[in-house]
């Protein structure tokens, strides 16, 4: 097992939560949602967690100050998930190991899935491997585009997708593993030429594939990992799912 580090995206305001509290600090069964993500990372042996903060950064840092494996990086303007990871360049350049990138708003991420993803990644020499799953209702999520033979081609955001691409049910849950130097390479090539005018992290796999790297998407995620939190309704839904699978209220 090589050196593993993580990047956790937590700079967004979470506008759809309709609150001044940064989204990643919202309690889910009594704990800030980001803490579940941090737990899962530690369970797979991640040595360092680079946490990208922006909106009310001081509050997020204060809430996480007892975690001494976290390095905070500032993203003062939220120009997209790819831009958020670009803020971590110094940290990424300091390692040639693997980097797992997760979103702080997905507390149902499972360490077993991350473990599976890392194992496949390290065994098969990928530059980038992402975890996916199929969802009956893919609304709002990035879709996984494959060719007729099922070979991974890229991720398309819903707002950029054609009507036909919107019918795809395999979705991106922002669960990526990259070779750090290849992630640095992909980040240097990102543009914001898309429907939202943002630098999308979701473009990185396709960029690397275009450079001849080995890139793939594996449907290893479990049904419960289909949930991320963008609204209060989704927060309640996640709490229901957690209760079902036996997370304890703390
Ligand atoms: C993202 C993915 C989408 C995926 C979905 C669920 C992109 C472009 N899209 O969309 O494919 O299906 O997550 O996993 O990545 N953030 C920052 N800085 C920014 C923007 C976002 O730190 O400039 C953070 C947010 O705080 C959040 C996470 O990144 O924790 C995801 O951002 P969000 O706006 O929720 O992305 P989605 O639209 O859900
Ligand atoms: Ca989200």
């Amino acid at each position: 097992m090589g050196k593993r580090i993580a990047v956790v995206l937590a700079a967004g305001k979470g506008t759809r939560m309709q609150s001044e509290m940064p989204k990643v600090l919202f309690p889910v069964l009594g704990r800030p949602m980001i803490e579940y993500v941090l737990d899962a990372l530690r369970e797979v042996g991640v040595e360092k967690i680079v946490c990208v903060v922006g909106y009310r950064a001081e509050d997020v840092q204060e809430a996480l100050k007892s975690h001494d494996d976290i390095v905070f990086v500032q993203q003062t303007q939220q120009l997209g998930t790819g831009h958020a990871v670009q803020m971590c360049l110094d940290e990424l350049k300091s390692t040639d190991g693997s980097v797992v990138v997760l979103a702080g708003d997905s507390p149902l991420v499972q360490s077993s899935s991350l473990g599976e993803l890392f194992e496949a990644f390290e065994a098969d020499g990928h530059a980038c491997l992402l975890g996916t799953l199929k969802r009956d209702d893919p609304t709002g999520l990035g879709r996984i585009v494959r060719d007729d033979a099922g070979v991974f081609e890229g991720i398309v955001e819903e707002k950029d997708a054609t009507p036909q691409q919107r019918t795809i049910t395999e979705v991106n849950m922002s669960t990526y593993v990259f070779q750090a130097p290849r992630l640095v390479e992909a980040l240097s090539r990102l543009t914001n030429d898309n429907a939202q005018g943002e630098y999308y992290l979701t473009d990185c796999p396709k960029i690397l594939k275009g450079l001849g790297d080995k890139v793939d998407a594996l449907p290893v995620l479990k049904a419960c990992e289909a949930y991320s939190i963008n609204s209060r309704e989704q927060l309640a839904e996640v709490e229901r799912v957690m209760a079902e699978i036996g997370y304890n209220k703390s």
Side-chain angles (χ1 to χ4, degrees), residues 192-229:
N192 62 354
D193 182 15
N194 54 55
Q196 303 187 78
E198 288 182 2
Y199 295 90
Y200 289 165
L201 180 62
T202 47
D203 286 343
C204 289
K206 186 182 183 163
I207 289 170
L208 292 178
K209 206 175 141 72
L211 294 173
D213 282 1
K214 182 164 176 171
V215 178
D216 208 351
L218 279 187
V220 295
L221 303 184
K222 299 172 181 70
C224 68
E225 294 177 281
Y227 300 90
S228 53
I229 299 178

Side-chain angles (χ1 to χ4, degrees), residues 46-178:
V46 165
E47 292 171 27
K48 176 161 77 176
I49 300 170
V50 184
C51 185
V52 186
V53 292
Y55 174 73
R56 292 196 129 180
E58 331 69 56
D59 295 358
V60 179
Q61 284 182 238
E62 175 65 23
L64 299 178
K65 70 176 177 208
S66 63
H67 302 249
D68 49 21
D69 53 356
I70 300 185
V71 174
F72 293 97
V73 163
Q74 305 285 333
Q75 183 196 26
T76 45
Q77 265 188 301
Q78 281 72 64
L79 302 180
T81 50
H83 181 258
V85 183
Q86 283 173 340
M87 301 301 103
C88 307
L89 266 190
D90 286 347
E91 295 292 341
L92 295 174
K93 283 181 175 164
S94 72
T95 173
D96 59 4
S98 42
V99 188
V100 55
V101 184
L102 297 177
D105 68 354
S106 302
L108 273 160
V109 63
Q110 303 292 301
S111 57
S112 55
S113 301
L114 295 180
E116 230 180 292
L117 207 59
F118 264 127
E119 223 165 90
F121 175 84
E122 285 162 1
D124 301 337
H126 293 92
C128 168
L129 186 62
L130 50 136
T132 68
L133 85 174
K134 288 200 170 159
R135 206 180 195 279
D136 292 337
D137 179 9
T139 306
L141 299 167
R143 310 293 207 280
I144 305 302
V145 182
R146 297 179 182 271
D147 70 11
D148 292 341
V151 176
F152 174 79
E153 289 189 327
I155 305 169
V156 64
E157 288 303 289
E158 180 163 278
K159 288 180 176 145
D160 299 286
T162 63
Q164 201 192 342
Q165 286 171 331
R166 287 186 193 202
T167 67
I168 297 171
T169 56
E170 188 183 2
V171 294
N172 173 40
M173 294 308 304
S174 304
T175 307
Y176 314 80
V177 186
F178 290 93

Side-chain angles (χ1 to χ4, degrees), residues 3-19:
K3 190 176 152 83
R4 297 172 172 179
I5 71 163
V7 171
V8 176
L9 306 181
K13 176 172 187 210
T15 309
R16 291 164 280 180
M17 300 301 285
Q18 302 187 323
S19 164

